Amino acid sequence: MEKIYDLLIIGGGPAGLSAGVYAGRAKLKTIILEKGTGGGQAATTSEIANYPGIRNISGPKLVEEMKLQNEDFGVEFAKSDVTGVDFSGEVKIVKTLSGDYHARAVIIATGATPRKLGFPGEEEFTGRGVAYCSTCDGEFFEGLEVFVIGAGYAAAEEAIFLTRFATKVTIIARESAFSCAPSIVDKVMANEKIEVKFNTEILGAYGDGMIQRARFINNVTKEEWEYEAKEEDSTFGIFVFIGYQPQTAIFQGHIEMDRAGYILTDDDMKTNVKGVYAAGDLRPKSLRQIITAVSDGAIAATDAGKYVAEEKDRLGIKDEPVVEEKKEEKKKAAAPAGKSSLLSDTLRGQLKGIFDKMENDVTLVSIVDESLPKSVELRDFLLDVAELGDKLHLELYNKGENKDMEEKVNADKFPVVSLLNSNGEYSGVKYHGVPGGHELNSFILAIYNLAGPGQAMDAAVRDSIKSISKKTNIKVMVSLACHFCPDVVVGAQRIAIENPNVEAEMVDISNFQDIKKKYKVMSVPAMIINDEEVVFGAKKIDEIAALLV
């Protein structure tokens, strides 16, 4: 008999996490389905200074605190892409690549993603100068000039953040004024590195491989002008922040939406389908901020709790008593302090729980170049991780000490750690960098998927992976601040685990400027396939497999 949750929340951004807290406190059996590392747009926000009660915090830190709060109340998390839904019955069905989930109530909190403008050159130079996330890609524009397209809160905030890297930031605003809070506007106007051009629009971006020129027009005077990259820079950046597109396409035909794809609800976040709610930026609203998203989530979960209670009363279902674990016991279970600053006591405890489920042995092999600080940092991280699982082993060799092993795991860049399966065979999975930040998730999943039981996989996707017959190398270029990157890393490495013809490497682009320059990578995630083809943007495992067949 399938497990039926009281509440299933689709989306792990602020709206979904807020709903989880309220549902968990109400003792609803709740699960949150996250895509990738979760966190939504908040996970890409460098600074949050307008959340009541918290004077200043980074987006990733706020999201992490929200997740821990959910775990405190017993909320479950699962990472999977939703492929379809069936809201027609009393028990709602949410279909994913990992199988079907069942729940009495569902809250849709899938949020929104940056909208593209459509100017000539935008598609061509995406990843090579055109970007949509300053947190993910800002570092690539160190010492260069950048243009920010937009006049709202996101454009103003991201322009300020980009001054950390760029020599100059020019805001291109089609309106005659900003459409955000005066306090943010004041910061923008007071920043010496920011210039603002109102009543201005971009006409196009041009260049050979990377952006070298851009044309603009004043929409009042109709005067056109052109910017050309300085000779010493050879390129520049264009960041687009013009609003967001609701991520609701998969729900078309299942619930009522407006013409723009926003889900329609009443004041209690109810959709037109009984037992289905929506919360966050995917609703029509005048203000899309974290504070309004968490408000939506709280309201939706509270009403969903009432709905679930009524349904259970009607069906005569009695809940089993919840046995709460004492906080003192939780404290005792925490893992002892280790060698790496990347792992907290809480995180070590969580990882130990994951590694205890390993079905087969996995060996981590790292070739250490002691002349590189990052290689030494990786060594210390691996020493810490390897202590957390009985079936997890570590082999360390100084560079040049074991040539056979170096050749076996293709140790051609440093730092490096490769994964061997239970037979001691190279799995095709490698990391060139210290897997901190968002990439810690992909590293742990690589171990879990290689050891088994691993994440569930659709049979059609597995068949597609098995059909790859040619030798293939995938370098997934990442930034540790990029929340889109782990999905691509996990997908590529899962393909390598399933098919011995494929090798998948995570490459922290900050450590390999030569690769960045050779392939003109100015945005992540980026996949370099067989050292020839470069593919930019987030890709699901089936999309990656399709590129390799």
Side-chain angles (χ1 to χ4, degrees):
M1 183 177 178
E2 73 272 0
K3 181 175 183 178
I4 300 177
Y5 289 93
D6 293 329
L7 177 63
L8 185 150
I9 300 166
I10 307 174
L17 294 171
S18 170
V21 168
Y22 275 76
R25 287 195 70 194
K27 300 192 183 302
L28 299 178
K29 285 187 294 185
T30 303
I31 186 169
I32 297 177
L33 295 185
E34 295 180 299
K35 181 180 179 180
T37 55
Q41 295 170 48
T44 66
T45 303
S46 60
E47 181 182 64
I48 297 170
N50 60 349
Y51 194 85
I54 300 177
R55 295 176 66 187
N56 191 284
I57 193 171
S58 72
K61 180 62 177 174
L62 179 61
V63 167
E64 180 61 26
E65 287 297 319
M66 288 181 174
K67 285 186 176 181
L68 292 173
Q69 201 172 7
N70 272 268
E71 291 171 359
D72 288 344
F73 292 119
V75 175
E76 295 180 34
F77 285 86
K79 295 185 183 298
S80 194
D81 288 326
V82 175
T83 59
V85 296
D86 182 354
F87 295 152
S88 60
E90 291 179 352
V91 175
K92 315 304 177 189
I93 302 173
V94 177
K95 304 171 184 179
T96 78
L97 291 174
S98 305
D100 293 351
Y101 290 85
H102 301 77
R104 302 193 184 282
V106 171
I107 295 175
I108 302 170
T110 48
T113 55
R115 192 184 298 275
K116 294 190 175 182
L117 190 54
F119 59 86
E122 180 176 16
E123 201 69 40
E124 177 185 354
F125 294 110
T126 293
R128 289 197 165 103
V130 175
Y132 304 87
C133 173
S134 65
T135 309
C136 301
D137 300 331
E139 65 183 286
F140 299 123
F141 297 88
E142 183 85 47
L144 300 176
E145 291 195 22
V146 301
F147 290 83
V148 168
I149 314 296
Y153 179 88
E157 183 189 53
E158 303 291 5
I160 294 170
F161 178 77
L162 285 167
T163 60
R164 301 183 186 185
F165 309 101
T167 55
K168 180 182 178 182
V169 177
T170 303
I171 296 178
I172 303 296
R174 65 182 298 178
E175 298 85 0
S176 59
F178 284 102
S179 58
C180 55
S183 60
I184 301 297
V185 176
D186 290 344
K187 285 185 178 181
V188 169
M189 303 307 286
N191 195 308
E192 295 180 352
K193 294 178 74 173
I194 298 177
E195 179 182 358
V196 183
K197 291 186 179 294
F198 291 112
N199 300 313
T200 303
E201 300 177 39
I202 185 169
L203 294 175
Y206 315 92
D208 181 13
M210 302 179 78
I211 297 176
Q212 290 156 339
R213 295 182 298 114
R215 289 194 62 78
F216 303 88
I217 186 171
N218 183 300
N219 55 31
V220 175
T221 66
K222 304 305 178 184
E223 177 186 358
E224 294 187 19
W225 55 280
E226 183 172 288
Y227 175 83
E228 188 167 351
K230 295 176 181 176
E231 187 175 346
E232 63 269 26
D233 294 342
S234 74
T235 190
F236 58 95
I238 298 174
F239 283 77
V240 180
F241 301 108
I242 56 161
Y244 295 89
Q245 177 74 34
Q247 293 300 288
T248 57
I250 203 164
F251 307 109
Q252 286 280 358
H254 297 279
I255 49 178
E256 189 177 353
M257 304 181 188
D258 67 13
R259 294 177 64 180
Y262 289 97
I263 297 176
L264 302 175
T265 73
D266 64 10
D267 290 345
D268 291 324
M269 307 300 140
K270 296 177 183 176
T271 68
N272 65 309
V273 177
K274 196 173 181 182
V276 178
Y277 301 77
D281 288 356
L282 47 64
R283 296 177 55 244
K285 53 169 67 178
S286 59
L287 181 64
R288 289 186 171 86
Q289 294 282 284
I290 294 176
I291 190 67
T292 61
V294 299
S295 173
D296 286 358
I299 293 169
T302 300
D303 200 89
K306 297 175 184 176
Y307 169 78
V308 169
E310 291 170 359
E311 282 292 284
K312 286 185 172 180
D313 281 345
R314 181 178 67 82
L315 297 169
I317 298 172
K318 295 188 181 296
D319 288 324
E320 295 179 5
V322 178
V323 179
E324 292 191 6
E325 186 180 351
K326 293 181 180 179
K327 289 189 177 180
E328 292 78 14
E329 292 173 354
K330 280 188 179 179
K331 195 171 182 181
K332 288 178 185 176
K339 305 171 184 65
S340 173
S341 61
L342 294 176
L343 303 182
S344 65
D345 287 353
T346 300
L347 187 52
R348 289 187 186 91
Q350 292 171 350
L351 295 183
K352 191 174 188 311
I354 295 171
F355 294 152
D356 284 346
K357 297 176 183 177
M358 290 171 60
E359 294 178 346
N360 299 296
D361 291 76
V362 169
T363 300
L364 309 174
V365 176
S366 183
I367 311 300
V368 182
D369 184 345
E370 293 190 337
S371 68
L372 295 176
K374 281 294 179 183
S375 191
V376 174
E377 183 182 347
L378 175 61
R379 178 198 64 194
D380 293 345
F381 167 77
L382 295 173
L383 284 166
D384 199 353
V385 169
E387 290 182 353
L388 302 176
D390 293 337
K391 292 187 176 182
L392 192 58
H393 313 285
L394 176 62
E395 293 184 20
L396 295 172
Y397 302 98
N398 288 327
K399 186 178 179 181
E401 179 184 349
N402 189 333
K403 291 290 188 181
D404 290 340
M405 181 61 77
E406 289 186 34
E407 184 176 342
K408 178 178 180 177
V409 300
N410 298 335
D412 57 350
K413 297 181 289 295
F414 300 87
V416 60
V417 57
S418 303
L419 275 62
L420 307 185
N421 64 22
S422 57
N423 296 322
E425 300 164 335
Y426 174 43
S427 66
V429 174
K430 265 198 308 184
Y431 280 75
H432 291 291
V434 182
H438 293 303
E439 289 308 328
L440 178 60
N441 287 334
S442 70
F443 183 69
I444 301 308
L445 283 173
I447 295 171
Y448 181 68
N449 286 329
L450 181 58
Q455 297 169 289
M457 182 185 292
D458 182 82
V461 174
R462 180 175 275 107
D463 289 343
S464 175
I465 293 171
K466 296 292 186 185
S467 70
I468 300 169
S469 58
K470 58 186 178 183
K471 289 290 183 181
T472 304
N473 171 269
I474 309 172
K475 294 178 180 66
V476 186
M477 311 302 292
V478 308
S479 161
L480 300 184
C482 169
H483 72 296
F484 298 110
C485 293
D487 277 356
V488 184
V489 173
V490 171
Q493 293 184 338
R494 187 67 189 276
I495 291 172
I497 290 169
E498 295 289 331
N499 189 321
N501 289 318
V502 180
E503 179 182 49
E505 314 175 45
M506 182 222 79
V507 182
D508 181 352
I509 201 167
S510 65
N511 298 325
F512 299 94
Q513 294 298 309
D514 55 335
I515 300 178
K516 170 190 168 183
K517 291 176 181 177
K518 179 178 179 180
Y519 295 98
K520 299 177 181 178
V521 176
M522 298 292 285
S523 179
V524 288
M527 288 187 293
I528 303 172
I529 301 174
N530 289 330
D531 294 326
E532 296 175 353
E533 183 183 5
V534 183
V535 180
F536 290 97
K539 295 285 185 289
K540 299 177 183 178
I541 187 170
D542 55 334
E543 295 173 318
I544 300 172
L547 293 170
L548 308 180
V549 175

